[in-house]
Amino acid sequence: MTEEKNQSKEKTSGIFRSGYIAIIGRPNVGKSTLLNQILGEKVAIVSPKPQTTRNRITGIRTTSTSQIIFLDTPGIHQGHSLMNRRMVDTALHTLDEVDGVLWLLDAHDKIKQEEERIAETLRGVETPVLILINKIDLVSKGKLLPLMERCAQLLPGKEIVPVSALKGEGLDILLNIVERWLPQGEPFFTGGEYTDQSERFLASEIVREKVFLLTREEIPYGVAVTIDEFSEKEEKNLIVILATIHTERDSHKGILIGKRGAMLKEIGKQAREELEALFGCRIFLELFVRVDPNWTQNPHLLIEMGL
Ligand code: GDP
Ligand code: MG
């Protein structure tokens, strides 16, 4: 940290905090809605297929006093296949590494086996946990209290905050608690809330999401997406994005490209449409597929992916 930076920070706030927060909870409890509400932009990837995300940054919220980097931690509630088991391991590992965990439950739904499993997992981590009972706009107070008691049984000693991600209720309380968890430190990401970097990141996530949605089971897990060029042509209200889909196998390359390029074209079309809606401008998106058997070993790629 330079002296200059230090002083300007001192002037505005005194202490700056920054850290990583994992958001967990079974599908449909409102994780993406919560993130989008907190960040005020569509950042989290919403998709009908579970586990579209590994442990990934889904949003960064920077204010004058703190930077919260939200991570999506999938796989914590399923443990069937080997891939799933690996994802569970990663999820558990992540929970120990982050500065705090937000566990979302649906006030409108019963506590299920998945919740019991999550609670069991959380009992084993030392990281601070906040239980969020979401969708309180759908239930009466009378129903909420028993649910809160049940949560307190499942995971004793944790703070419980009822929220409505959709209506934005209770979010200031939750953000206050989260901020207190964060260690003092410089922001990990600089340049404002929506940096070029995070836009690039979003672009790669959206392409990856389309690969997930459009290809068969085994393909998505071996895929990484990097952005080779991201340039804004302001005068034309256009962003030019060149991206590479890295895959570990030759056979997967064929599937990703498809018959006469049909698959790649569709991935590109859907990603472009979503990016145009997200960034509010025209997008020129060109996709490449590259077989890269060792992409998981390539530190440059991993850094770019935020892993
Ligand atoms: P995720 O799978 O955990 O990411 O859940 P989503 O954020 O995709 O939300 C699943 C569904 O619940 C969507 O239809 C949301 O609109 C809805 N939802 C999320 N939060 C709330 C809330 O606070 N109140 C209500 N009524 N609906 C919500
Ligand atoms: Mg989601």
Side-chain angles (χ1 to χ4, degrees):
M1 181 164 60
T2 67
E3 277 299 83
E4 222 173 285
K5 238 173 147 184
N6 201 359
Q7 277 170 6
S8 67
K9 200 145 285 150
E10 218 72 84
K11 259 182 239 152
T12 50
S13 60
I15 296 174
F16 194 87
R17 298 178 180 278
S18 58
Y20 287 80
I21 299 294
I23 301 188
I24 64 172
R26 91 174 129 74
N28 266 324
V29 293
K31 297 180 295 296
S32 301
T33 309
L34 178 77
L35 255 177
N36 295 337
Q37 188 69 257
I38 288 175
L39 301 167
E41 287 272 341
K42 188 191 166 192
V43 176
I45 290 188
V46 186
S47 117
K49 271 195 197 173
Q51 300 186 351
T52 46
T53 29
R54 304 187 187 101
N55 287 308
R56 307 292 306 259
I57 297 170
T58 52
I60 303 170
R61 178 180 181 272
T62 312
T63 65
S64 61
T65 54
S66 73
Q67 179 170 77
I68 310 172
I69 301 151
F70 291 98
L71 296 179
D72 206 340
T73 307
I76 190 162
H77 30 66
Q78 279 142 344
H80 304 303
S81 70
L82 177 63
M83 176 49 92
N84 276 332
R85 264 206 307 281
R86 269 201 214 126
M87 290 178 100
V88 173
D89 286 346
T90 322
L92 286 177
H93 182 68
T94 308
L95 296 184
D96 275 327
E97 304 274 288
V98 294
D99 301 299
V101 178
L102 298 176
W103 177 24
L104 247 79
L105 292 94
D106 186 337
H108 194 52
D109 205 351
K110 285 202 203 74
I111 298 237
K112 295 183 176 158
Q113 211 185 358
E114 281 137 300
E115 262 85 31
E116 281 167 17
R117 210 182 266 152
I118 292 174
E120 194 185 312
T121 303
L122 288 176
R123 273 182 246 133
V125 304
E126 306 209 340
T127 313
V129 176
L130 181 63
I131 302 172
L132 297 174
I133 301 187
N134 188 31
K135 310 196 189 179
I136 51 165
D137 55 293
L138 296 177
V139 299
S140 64
K141 272 231 170 72
K143 282 207 171 142
L144 201 54
L145 289 175
L147 184 59
M148 289 173 77
E149 273 166 25
R150 180 91 178 86
C151 287
Q153 279 173 353
L154 274 176
L155 199 61
K158 306 293 179 198
E159 251 178 297
I160 304 173
V161 177
V163 298
S164 169
L166 196 65
K167 311 256 169 181
E169 274 171 55
L171 303 192
D172 43 349
I173 302 175
L174 118 76
L175 286 168
N176 258 319
I177 294 172
V178 167
E179 270 196 16
R180 277 193 268 121
W181 288 340
L182 303 180
Q184 207 169 322
E186 286 290 289
F188 291 90
F189 297 88
T190 52
E193 210 156 337
Y194 290 98
T195 59
D196 182 49
Q197 193 176 0
S198 64
E199 285 184 349
R200 287 174 80 111
F201 178 72
L202 285 173
S204 70
E205 281 292 89
I206 284 169
V207 172
R208 203 163 64 82
E209 179 193 51
K210 300 313 169 198
V211 172
F212 249 95
L213 293 174
L214 293 166
T215 62
R216 287 204 324 258
E217 288 274 303
E218 76 276 12
I219 308 278
Y221 296 106
V223 157
V225 176
T226 54
I227 303 298
D228 312 313
E229 188 188 325
F230 188 104
S231 48
E232 292 190 55
K233 318 273 177 206
E234 246 170 75
E235 70 285 358
K236 290 185 188 156
N237 192 30
L238 173 76
I239 298 177
V240 174
I241 303 171
L242 307 185
T244 300
I245 302 172
H246 303 258
T247 173
E248 290 179 302
R249 292 197 203 154
D250 251 328
S251 59
H252 288 182
K253 180 177 180 175
I255 296 170
L256 283 162
I257 291 174
K259 234 184 213 166
R260 292 202 206 97
M263 175 59 85
L264 196 62
K265 200 171 157 195
E266 188 60 24
I267 292 168
K269 174 177 170 281
Q270 292 194 14
R272 177 179 52 75
E273 285 169 359
E274 179 149 353
L275 285 164
E276 286 182 339
L278 182 64
F279 295 149
C281 66
R282 285 189 303 132
I283 303 281
F284 173 86
L285 174 65
E286 192 164 0
L287 297 177
F288 306 89
V289 179
R290 202 179 136 198
V291 180
D292 195 351
N294 294 317
W295 74 256
T296 54
Q297 316 292 323
N298 178 339
H300 173 73
L301 252 177
L302 293 178
I303 287 167
E304 201 170 318
M305 292 170 60
L307 291 173

